[in-house]
Amino acid sequence: MELFASLTSKIKGKNIKIVFPEGTEPRILGAASRLKADGVLTPVVLGDVTKVKQVAAEHNFDLTGIEIIDPANSADFASLVAAFVERRKGKNTKEQAKTMLLDENYFGTMLVYTGAVDGMVSGAVHPTGDTVRPALQIIKTKPGVSRTSGAFIMTKGKERYLFSDCAINVDPNAQELAEIAVESAKTAALFDIDPRVALLSFSTKGSAKADVVTKVQEATKLAQTAAPEYQIDGELQFDAAYVSSVGQQKAPDSKVAGQATVFVFPELQAGNIGYKIAQRFGGFEAVGPILQGLNKPVSDLSRGANEEDVYKLAIITAAQTLM
């Protein structure tokens, strides 16, 4: 709770607007109602107004003061269609745009892009692609970042770490891995984690030779050059990155070994397996995935998320607007 108390203090009173496209989903409405009541941020809900209010009534959710927008009947629909066509630069016709923006995820993403809202949270009933695809097409990645990536904040008691990429990129190359490392350092700093970034491998400082090791070595050099303000090192085995005595033995000259706070996995299988082992065996709470590298924040819920997960990810998304 310390993490979310800190984030809430950063965003409260700033009137940060977060749009929730899945407005007929009870988990979404429950979280939106709480966020409004707690004065944390300003939720905006998408969907057929009658259906949204019906679901809210069935679950005794108070939507007083919460804006509900039906894309099909929005006064801004035509202007958003025009903005979408212009943004897509000939890839979609006006008629195609009209159909696409009837999809709440596309409509919500356009609200983020045009500045009508500050961020978006979706994915409670949609697969990841339905949330990420519009974001990549419309909001796009920051200059110098070729791909978005997915990070998890791992918390247990006073311990707080960041694991990345655990959600998006199957097998990033050295340049992409370097970008993930730098963006992960920025994300860690936002969440009050002093960024000491370890690029992980099954090898430490050349103890093994393989193409996958070379990739991590190259990524480390690229990341160090791109962001000299951060402590970044690799390639490091997990124990060398995490355990002080092992780090001193295996990488005695490293400023990261044995004291890493940000762990960058070499590819998605390792990252996804790694965070779930920490979560299930280690008893860490995994908060995320937090999408990194976009020009504006869009967050993707797990379809297994509960109301509390929605509430927390909305706070994280709002905090990302301050980066």
Side-chain angles (χ1 to χ4, degrees):
M1 290 306 298
E2 183 183 342
L3 169 63
F4 288 94
S6 172
L7 294 178
T8 298
S9 69
K10 291 180 180 181
I11 65 175
K12 208 165 186 178
K14 290 185 168 59
N15 192 32
I16 297 172
K17 290 187 177 183
I18 301 297
V19 64
F20 298 87
E22 299 160 323
T24 56
E25 169 54 48
R27 293 168 292 168
I28 296 295
L29 292 184
S33 176
R34 286 174 55 198
L35 290 161
K36 178 66 176 178
D38 293 347
V40 177
L41 52 83
T42 302
V44 177
V45 172
L46 303 186
D48 180 282
V49 177
T50 301
K51 291 180 180 178
V52 171
K53 290 182 176 180
Q54 180 181 344
V55 173
E58 290 171 354
H59 293 82
N60 296 313
F61 296 140
D62 183 4
L63 300 186
T64 303
I66 294 179
E67 184 178 9
I68 305 170
I69 302 174
D70 180 355
N73 296 304
S74 169
D76 298 319
F77 189 81
S79 62
L80 290 175
V81 166
F84 178 79
V85 171
E86 193 277 331
R87 180 61 166 168
R88 295 290 287 155
K89 298 185 181 346
K91 293 179 181 178
N92 294 105
T93 66
K94 183 177 179 179
E95 291 307 311
Q96 288 173 330
K98 287 179 179 179
T99 299
M100 294 170 78
L101 262 63
L102 289 174
D103 179 299
E104 288 88 351
N105 278 318
Y106 272 96
F107 189 90
T109 304
M110 282 301 299
L111 292 181
V112 178
Y113 170 65
T114 58
V117 299
D118 301 294
M120 184 175 93
V121 174
S122 189
V125 295
H126 290 91
T128 294
D130 288 359
T131 301
V132 175
R133 189 179 307 108
L136 293 177
Q137 291 176 346
I138 299 167
I139 295 173
K140 303 185 179 181
T141 54
K142 298 174 184 176
V145 178
S146 63
R147 291 170 175 252
T148 187
S149 55
F152 282 84
I153 304 294
M154 309 297 293
T155 65
K156 185 171 71 170
K158 293 184 179 180
E159 293 183 85
R160 193 181 302 175
Y161 306 103
L162 188 136
F163 284 13
S164 183
D165 173 16
C166 305
I168 303 292
N169 297 286
V170 174
D171 187 16
N173 61 33
Q175 178 61 50
E176 292 161 351
L177 195 59
E179 292 172 5
I180 291 168
V182 173
E183 289 302 307
S184 297
K186 295 175 183 177
T187 300
L190 175 67
F191 294 105
D192 299 325
I193 299 171
D194 182 16
R196 295 186 295 274
V197 184
L199 283 87
L200 299 177
S201 176
F202 68 89
S203 168
T204 296
K205 298 298 181 180
S207 63
K209 296 187 183 301
D211 289 344
V212 290
V213 173
T214 301
K215 178 180 81 168
V216 178
Q217 292 169 342
E218 292 176 354
T220 300
K221 292 176 183 177
L222 291 168
Q224 290 169 337
T225 300
E229 67 273 24
Y230 295 118
Q231 295 291 341
I232 300 173
D233 202 8
E235 87 281 16
L236 295 169
Q237 291 163 285
F238 185 84
D239 58 351
Y242 181 68
V243 182
S244 179
S245 59
V246 179
Q248 289 174 8
Q249 182 182 24
K250 292 188 174 184
D253 297 326
S254 174
K255 294 180 180 180
V256 172
Q259 52 184 336
T261 57
V262 178
F263 300 89
V264 178
F265 293 85
E267 40 82 33
L268 184 57
Q269 283 199 103
N272 191 269
I273 292 168
Y275 99 81
K276 289 183 177 179
I277 288 175
Q279 181 184 36
R280 302 300 181 180
F281 278 8
F284 279 81
E285 179 183 7
V287 181
I290 301 161
L291 296 186
Q292 305 179 135
L294 292 170
N295 278 309
K296 294 185 178 183
V298 171
S299 293
D300 175 42
L301 289 158
S302 164
R303 279 175 284 175
N306 57 32
E307 180 185 306
E308 183 68 12
D309 295 328
V310 180
Y311 185 92
K312 288 179 176 178
L313 194 57
I315 290 173
I316 286 173
T317 307
Q320 284 182 283
T321 68
L322 306 178
M323 290 181 72

